[in-house]
Structures are given as structure tokens and as C-alpha cells.
Amino acid sequence: MGALGTIPKAGNYVRIIDERNLDRLQDLLEPDQVLIGGGRDRDERTIEPTIMTNVGWDDPVMEEEIFGPILPASWLGSNACTGSGSERGRGGARGIARGAAAVPQAPGGGGRCSP
């Protein structure tokens, strides 16, 4: 359960395709990074929509495609690596939250910082 609690069951969560993938998704969730959600129902093969915070580029959830209701996000501030040497993240705005769906990629941008 996340720091903000669980999400009320709506009855219309999409089912994860099989138990193997349900377990794979659950293994991606680090309890100290789950802000909200994270609960699962093994019999129904569902996972609550989940927001993870303080996620680093080397965390397992950032290493593969998720295909589940998990949104990893981290804060880009002045320590964010950028291609231009500025304090702006690849999303183009100063100090923005960035996650799987929070900020579109800039042209030529990938999921990782470039040397």
C-alpha cells in the first residue's frame, strides 16, 4: 500500500494477462517508492493504478517496458543531466516532474542521459 493509501476498487481495472506478468509487475514496485496504489488482487489479476516517486534511471521499473498501471516519476531539478548543459530537463522545462507519461520526449531524446 502506498504512502497515501490505496485506491478504492472501481470494479473495472484491466486484468493483467497472466500470473507471471502480475508477479513481474509486483516485483517492480519498491514499497518505499509507492506514493499511492500498489495493491493487487491475485484472483482477479489486477493491480491498483500506482504512482511511484523518487525513481532513478537505474531502478528496475525504468529498465523495461511496464505494460501495467504503474507510473514511475522523479523530480528533475538542477542536478538533472541535460544535453545542453542547462538546468532544463529533456522535457524543456525547469524543475518538472518526469515519468513514464508526464513529459513528452524532446526530439532525439531517449530515456537515458547522454554523455
Side-chain angles (χ1 to χ4, degrees), residues 20-98:
R20 180 179 65 86
N21 278 289
L22 180 68
D23 292 339
R24 178 186 65 81
L25 292 171
Q26 191 68 40
D27 288 345
L28 295 175
L29 301 178
E30 292 292 332
D32 60 326
Q33 293 177 319
V34 174
L35 178 63
I36 191 165
R40 75 175 179 176
D41 182 331
R42 190 165 190 80
D43 293 333
E44 294 291 320
R45 290 193 330 266
T46 59
I47 294 179
E48 294 174 333
T50 303
I51 298 175
M52 296 175 66
T53 59
N54 300 317
V55 176
W57 291 115
D58 294 328
D59 285 326
V61 72
M62 298 299 283
E63 294 292 322
E64 60 181 272
E65 292 183 283
I66 298 170
F67 296 110
I70 300 170
L71 176 66
S74 60
W75 183 255
L76 290 183
S78 60
N79 291 340
C81 64
T82 65
S84 64
S86 72
E87 291 185 13
R88 296 182 186 273
R90 288 184 189 250
R94 184 182 298 256
I96 54 174
R98 175 174 179 150

